[in-house]
Amino acid sequence: MRATEIRRKFLDFFVEKGHQIEPSASLVPVDDPSLLWINSGVATLKQYFDGRLTPENPRITNSQKSIRTNDIENVGYTPRHHTFFEMLGNFSIGDYFKEEAIKWAWEFLTSPKWMGFDPEKLSVTIHPDDEEALQIWHTEVGIPLERIVKLKENFWDIGEGPSGPNTEIFYDRGAHLADPNDPENYPGGENDRYLEVWNLVFSQFNHNPDGTYTPLPKKNIDTGMGLERMASIVQGVPTNYDTDLFMPIIEATCAKVGVQYRKDPQTDIALKVIADHVRTIVFAVSDGVLPSNEGRGYILRRLLRRAVRYGRKLGMERPFLYELTETVASIMSDFYPEPVSKREFIEKVIRNEEERFLETLSDGLAILEELVGQAKADNRDQINGPEAFKLYDTYGFPVDLTEDFAREHGLGVDRDGFEHEMETQRERARAARQDVGSMQVQGGALADLEVETTFVGYTSFEAQTQVQAIIFEDELVDLLGAGSQALVILKETPFYAESGGQAADQGVIFTNDAKLRVEGVQKGPRGEHVHQVVVEKGIIRSGEQITAQISQELRNETVKNHTATHLLHKALKQVLGEHVNQAGSLVTPDRLRFDFSHIGSMTADEIHEVERLVNEQVWNNLSVDISIKGINEAKEMGAMALFGEKYGSEVRVVQVGDYSLELCGGTHVKQTGEIGLFKILSESGIGSGTRRIEAATGRRAYQYLEQQAGLLRQVAEAIKAKPEQVLDRVEQLQENIREVARENESLRAKLSQAAAADLQNQLIEVGGVSVLSAQVEAKDMDSLRKMVDDLRQKVAEGIIVLGSVSGDKVNFVASVSPKYVQEGFHAGKLVKEVATICGGGGGGRPDLAQAGGKNPTNVQKAISFVHEWIANQH
């Protein structure tokens, strides 16, 4: 039975029992320390269990994809450790409980209609205090007491929240797999005989913040069955890797690398690591995770580089993991369509990362080998932390990759020392960052100040309001005089506080006698708007009635850029693909900046198409509708939520016609026509897998285009052409330049030949060896090599060394003819010695080599040394 059939049977079984299938969704971070990501649909189960959400159907079933990397070092070395796995589950939200869960599990596993397992091969574990589970298993299901094991660890608890006892079901794979003298030879022990296939969690308690447990008002069921383990049992194979979930990947890898599976244990480990990791990588990328140096992206990078390193152990020195994407997608396509639909993008991401790492892998591995050798020579049992950190910092070696390599050589890694170096680097980075403009509003006098601000700036540019507090030099004061800089909190404000990438409003606060310039606004600890002000004249007092007025001109420019950012986000998805997600933004009156996930720079055509799409929505003058919705309702509408943003139960939904729909707290135009014009100013990379677009709208876009038109007119005048003729004229000039370059090259070749003929006369014998060494005129290393090549044609047997000076650099090229190479002369060794005299170095092949130096004054000394070196070789 194929794994796909097992999954299908499981879901069909529970549908018959009244369950609703939870659709496959994206991987999201979770709090469980044993898991890295789980299916986002299942992530809501915790909210179902504690009553925050109510499901449409209290009975749910699914197959959830999970990624776990807390024991990555075991992957490939054990039969059943994986970084990516599928968990089949059935869940009851305050509906059925232990009796149904246990009896249905037994029915699914033993009924001939479903899995048809021999009941005699099944054992279970329970919590010692769970008499109810014992009664059901023994009396009602009929499992003998000797096959019911009581274990204290059978209690599911991950901190605050739902918890409870659990029962696990084990399959007996045969007595031949166990050591009768092993004290762990029982269901639930660490052994190869009894394989856990299903865990039923009876979520009946709430783990309170004070550490106590109280019964839940509604009891829940949470189960998990490993698809990979079930497949290994049904298919009768010794490990998960021998199932149809992995074997096609292993076979494809063998074909590419040129090795065989089950012939060599070390080869098998490498093949298993590659098969496991590439599955994880494909699914992570399909869900929008890209390799980076932090968070989920760093974990993905670790896995990919670990797989590359194991590929290298098999002799693979080119990118190949990306070629396995199609195999992974094909295996999983019946239930997970994303890897198929996004295959091209996934391949591009993986190949790009492979190529980057392969550039430094050889150097890094060479250093690792040296570190291992040095540790053994020093009788140390581990590689030092600073050494491991240097490999990470310089060559991109994740520390667990270094640990893998060290373990293969019987060593460990000083992990504490590594983490110390990492923290030192973080401290340096934190110290280097300049938090320009930060008002540090989260502490000081604000910490104990309980005030609220009502923001009226969505609809008003001005507010008549009251000063609630004045903070001067981190102390509450009653008044401020002219020239003072301080923080002011108002009862109502039209000033937008910097958030969501949108810059704060600027403007003034005034009375009949005083005027304050507002230079920035941020949110305080309780969401109050904190205005950074300079008192330009008069005195302002706490409690005083004032007028707060924003700069309408700056706000108008800002809203154009903010709405354009939403249009840009949608256009990028249309042109580049749905993998594009916002990774940061900045919206100011002058411009907009938008960071997004994407591998590789955009082409000129792609930039043009994105720009056209945005402008098309501007010219369509779409209405911008803003509404307040419940978070679930907004997501059901299809509103894009930004990853990492925290949203409350109610959210602000910004809908631009039928083109864009996002959750956003910023300010926007009423109609897209107000934007006027949209122009991309630049597109660049700011990190692995992250691109940045800078753009302008309205007046700023017009000013930019006018500036570009002015430059075009100046260029046209300079090359004596009309603007519309510039391209033809430039192409003509380029051809003229190429012709001149060809003529120059021809002249240089003739001069080189003439110089070679002249130099040939300087050939002398040193110890019976024909030698030509001289300083010549050559503009660069290429010219010098050309001159040596010409001489080699004229000097059949001999040693040639030429040196030249170009600015403050010295170049050397050495040639040794075949006869003298056979006699032991080596051009690489010779040129290295020569260059050393000029403070440089180099090397190369025995017959031809080059080097460089930094001290031009010693060129003649170096050239003269050639004769001495040759004489000493005899």
Side-chain angles (χ1 to χ4, degrees):
M1 186 185 301
R2 294 176 57 80
T4 56
E5 295 176 68
I6 298 172
R7 187 197 298 118
R8 188 69 263 164
K9 278 179 175 285
F10 182 91
L11 297 175
D12 288 346
F13 175 84
F14 282 102
V15 167
E16 284 192 9
K17 303 298 184 185
H19 291 63
Q20 176 178 305
I21 297 178
E22 185 81 20
S24 173
S26 60
L27 294 161
V28 297
V30 289
D31 296 331
D32 185 342
S34 69
L35 290 171
L36 178 63
W37 303 305
I38 63 171
N39 181 296
S40 62
V42 179
T44 59
L45 283 171
K46 186 175 180 180
Q47 298 178 71
Y48 290 156
F49 287 165
D50 61 21
R52 283 177 287 169
L53 292 177
T54 302
E56 294 180 11
N57 186 334
R59 299 183 179 190
I60 296 172
T61 186
N62 76 341
S63 179
Q64 70 185 65
K65 47 191 175 181
S66 305
I67 293 179
R68 177 171 58 197
T69 59
N70 61 333
D71 50 6
I72 187 176
E73 67 280 355
N74 292 323
V75 172
Y77 290 85
T78 69
R80 278 167 278 281
H81 272 95
H82 303 297
T83 54
F84 174 90
F85 55 95
E86 278 190 80
M87 193 66 72
L88 305 171
N90 61 287
F91 310 90
S92 168
I93 316 302
D95 189 45
Y96 63 84
F97 198 49
K98 288 184 188 178
E99 183 173 358
E100 294 90 339
I102 289 174
K103 289 182 176 180
W104 286 342
W106 186 257
E107 179 185 352
F108 177 74
L109 290 175
T110 61
S111 169
K113 177 182 176 182
W114 302 106
M115 299 310 299
F117 285 178
D118 180 355
E120 298 297 318
K121 291 185 176 292
L122 298 177
S123 302
V124 299
T125 61
I126 61 171
H127 189 270
D129 298 333
D130 196 349
E131 290 297 325
E132 184 181 1
L134 175 63
Q135 174 72 15
I136 298 169
W137 277 124
H138 178 54
T139 305
E140 300 186 37
V141 173
I143 296 183
L145 289 175
E146 61 267 23
R147 299 214 311 270
I148 302 176
V149 181
K150 295 182 178 181
L151 299 175
K152 288 184 179 180
E153 56 266 30
N154 272 37
F155 193 89
W156 189 257
D157 190 352
I158 58 172
E160 293 181 30
S163 61
N166 64 290
T167 182
E168 297 170 325
I169 304 173
F170 289 82
Y171 183 85
D172 186 351
R173 299 175 63 236
H176 65 286
L177 294 173
D179 179 355
N181 299 317
D182 184 358
E184 293 278 319
N185 186 26
Y186 59 86
E190 290 293 331
N191 61 77
D192 290 330
R193 176 176 179 177
Y194 297 102
L195 179 63
E196 179 195 340
V197 294
W198 207 342
N199 184 12
L200 315 180
V201 179
F202 310 125
S203 185
Q204 61 192 85
F205 300 110
N206 188 63
H207 186 163
N208 302 312
D210 61 1
T212 62
Y213 293 85
T214 53
L216 287 170
K218 290 185 177 181
K219 298 176 181 179
N220 309 301
I221 291 294
D222 177 358
T223 83
M225 172 192 284
L227 176 61
E228 291 80 7
R229 294 186 176 205
M230 283 291 289
S232 71
I233 294 172
V234 174
Q235 295 171 18
V237 293
T239 77
N240 294 357
Y241 293 99
D242 297 291
T243 68
D244 63 343
L245 290 169
F246 291 91
M247 279 307 298
I249 307 172
I250 291 174
E251 290 167 353
T253 305
C254 287
K256 294 180 187 303
V257 179
V259 297
Q260 287 184 297
Y261 185 48
R262 303 191 188 100
K263 292 292 184 182
D264 174 72
Q266 292 305 309
T267 297
D268 289 354
I269 288 172
L271 290 169
K272 291 173 182 177
V273 169
I274 292 167
D276 173 89
H277 287 7
V278 79
R279 289 208 322 160
T280 308
I281 294 162
V282 167
F283 273 92
V285 175
S286 75
D287 277 350
V289 183
L290 297 177
S292 69
N293 284 329
E294 57 187 12
R296 300 193 300 168
Y298 176 61
I299 292 170
L300 178 61
R301 174 164 285 169
R302 283 171 54 198
L303 293 174
L304 199 149
R305 293 188 170 187
R306 191 170 189 258
V308 169
R309 213 269 294 182
Y310 275 94
R312 183 65 173 263
K313 288 182 67 176
L314 298 178
M316 196 58 142
E317 298 189 1
R318 66 168 181 84
F320 76 101
L321 290 176
Y322 77 96
E323 296 173 346
L324 299 173
T325 300
E326 186 173 7
T327 303
V328 175
S330 176
I331 294 170
M332 313 297 280
S333 60
D334 67 310
F335 199 71
Y336 301 106
E338 297 85 1
V340 175
S341 62
K342 299 178 181 179
R343 181 173 63 85
E344 186 176 341
F345 173 70
I346 296 168
E347 289 176 343
K348 186 176 181 181
V349 171
I350 297 174
R351 181 170 188 171
N352 183 69
E353 186 68 15
E354 283 188 272
E355 289 173 344
R356 289 187 58 189
F357 187 47
L358 284 170
E359 290 175 2
T360 58
L361 181 59
S362 296
D363 291 341
L365 287 175
I367 291 175
L368 252 178
E369 289 173 356
E370 291 178 10
L371 294 179
V372 167
Q374 189 60 52
K376 290 183 176 180
D378 296 342
N379 291 318
R380 287 187 281 115
D381 61 358
Q382 62 181 4
I383 293 173
N384 291 332
E387 295 171 338
F389 177 76
K390 183 178 180 182
L391 274 169
Y392 160 78
D393 199 37
T394 306
Y395 296 99
F397 270 53
V399 66
D400 54 347
L401 194 153
T402 301
E403 288 175 328
D404 277 345
F405 189 91
R407 184 170 65 248
E408 291 166 7
H409 293 81
L411 298 175
V413 173
D414 174 16
R415 194 63 180 258
D416 290 340
F418 174 85
E419 295 298 340
H420 174 75
E421 294 295 322
M422 281 289 289
E423 185 55 35
T424 300
Q425 187 189 63
R426 293 190 190 105
E427 289 293 339
R428 285 196 299 267
R430 281 193 285 266
R433 284 196 293 265
Q434 299 297 316
D435 195 12
V436 179
S438 171
M439 296 183 287
Q440 298 180 345
V441 298
Q442 300 301 317
L446 277 170
D448 301 319
L449 187 63
E450 295 192 9
V451 294
E452 293 183 357
T453 303
T454 300
F455 176 59
V456 298
Y458 286 134
T459 56
S460 302
F461 293 146
E462 183 178 302
Q464 309 297 320
T465 185
Q466 182 183 39
V467 176
Q468 294 198 94
I470 302 172
I471 300 171
F472 178 71
E473 295 184 351
D474 206 27
E475 291 186 5
L476 284 171
V477 297
D478 293 327
L479 56 84
L480 278 177
S484 301
Q485 297 184 25
L487 306 179
V488 171
I489 302 175
L490 307 176
K491 189 173 182 180
E492 296 88 19
T493 182
F495 285 87
Y496 183 86
E498 179 184 333
S499 62
Q502 181 174 328
D505 284 321
Q506 298 178 41
V508 294
I509 295 172
F510 61 91
T511 67
N512 290 334
D513 302 316
K515 180 182 178 183
L516 290 69
R517 184 173 72 253
V518 178
E519 296 184 330
V521 189
Q522 290 190 352
K523 289 185 179 179
R526 282 161 290 277
E528 67 271 32
H529 287 215
V530 183
H531 306 73
Q532 185 180 26
V533 304
V534 175
V535 183
E536 293 188 335
K537 72 172 185 176
I539 296 174
I540 192 78
R541 294 175 174 82
S542 182
E544 188 171 8
Q545 293 293 318
I546 58 92
T547 299
Q549 186 181 81
I550 68 172
S551 167
Q552 187 171 341
E553 179 183 351
L554 294 179
R555 167 70 79 83
N556 287 341
E557 296 299 322
T558 300
V559 297
K560 293 173 185 177
N561 286 330
H562 201 154
T563 305
T565 300
H566 286 219
L567 299 177
L568 173 61
H569 193 181
K570 178 64 175 180
L572 285 168
K573 283 181 173 288
Q574 286 182 281
V575 174
L576 301 180
E578 286 298 319
H579 65 274
V580 169
N581 286 304
Q582 182 173 334
S585 68
L586 175 66
V587 179
T588 69
D590 292 329
R591 64 191 173 99
L592 67 90
R593 188 181 75 203
F594 188 78
D595 300 338
F596 59 98
S597 54
H598 183 60
I599 294 294
S601 59
M602 293 175 64
T603 65
D605 286 344
E606 288 171 338
I607 292 172
H608 175 76
E609 179 61 12
V610 167
E611 198 171 73
R612 186 193 67 79
L613 284 171
V614 174
N615 278 307
E616 193 171 86
Q617 311 317 314
V618 171
W619 301 328
N620 287 339
N621 198 25
L622 303 175
S623 62
V624 179
D625 298 318
I626 297 174
S627 57
I628 304 299
K629 303 286 185 183
I631 182 65
N632 290 329
E633 181 185 358
K635 289 182 177 179
E636 287 173 5
M637 292 170 62
M640 279 193 288
L642 301 185
F643 180 78
E645 287 287 325
K646 295 187 181 298
Y647 297 101
S649 58
E650 289 193 334
V651 292
R652 196 162 174 266
V653 180
V654 178
Q655 184 167 4
V656 186
D658 59 358
Y659 188 71
S660 169
L661 187 65
E662 292 192 31
L663 305 185
C664 179
T667 58
H668 291 273
V669 299
K670 290 182 173 59
Q671 301 281 148
T672 57
E674 297 173 36
I675 296 171
L677 182 66
F678 173 83
K679 181 63 184 175
I680 293 177
L681 308 180
S682 66
E683 189 274 346
S684 61
I686 59 170
S688 178
T690 307
R691 308 297 299 177
R692 169 172 291 173
I693 279 179
E694 298 202 26
T697 62
R699 181 187 309 161
R700 298 299 195 283
Y702 169 77
Q703 290 171 345
Y704 173 79
L705 291 174
E706 184 59 27
Q707 179 191 42
Q708 296 300 301
L711 288 174
L712 177 61
R713 288 192 293 270
Q714 292 178 37
V715 170
E717 291 175 5
I719 62 175
K720 296 179 173 54
K722 294 179 181 179
E724 61 270 22
Q725 298 172 333
V726 164
L727 182 59
D728 290 340
R729 180 61 175 150
V730 167
E731 289 178 349
Q732 180 185 345
L733 290 172
Q734 287 179 326
E735 181 55 37
N736 292 344
I737 291 170
R738 286 191 289 269
E739 182 61 31
V740 170
R742 286 192 288 269
E743 292 176 1
N744 286 342
E745 187 59 37
S746 176
L747 290 172
R748 275 196 295 269
K750 292 176 181 177
L751 288 172
S752 176
Q753 291 171 1
D758 184 55
L759 286 169
Q760 189 177 358
N761 298 326
Q762 299 181 35
L763 192 68
I764 63 172
E765 284 199 5
V766 178
V769 178
S770 298
V771 180
L772 171 55
S773 60
Q775 179 179 353
V776 297
E777 294 291 331
K779 68 182 183 73
D780 53 27
M781 184 68 81
D782 289 340
S783 300
L784 192 62
R785 278 199 304 268
K786 180 67 169 62
M787 198 173 293
V788 170
D789 286 341
D790 289 340
L791 282 168
R792 292 173 77 186
Q793 301 299 318
K794 300 178 182 299
V795 179
E797 296 293 346
I799 296 177
I800 303 168
V801 179
L802 299 185
S804 67
V805 176
S806 177
D808 57 353
K809 295 181 180 179
V810 182
N811 295 322
F812 293 102
V813 176
S815 168
V816 177
S817 63
K819 172 185 175 182
Y820 294 118
V821 168
Q822 291 177 0
E823 292 183 12
F825 292 96
H826 194 290
K829 294 178 181 178
L830 169 57
V831 81
K832 181 179 179 181
E833 296 278 351
V834 170
T836 300
I837 297 172
C838 291
R845 305 194 310 264
D847 63 324
L848 187 65
Q850 66 185 47
K854 306 173 187 175
N855 187 356
T857 59
N858 283 349
V859 175
Q860 275 301 324
K861 182 179 178 182
I863 291 297
S864 300
F865 172 74
V866 173
H867 295 174
E868 179 184 340
W869 186 87
I870 292 172
N872 289 336
Q873 299 307 300
H874 291 289

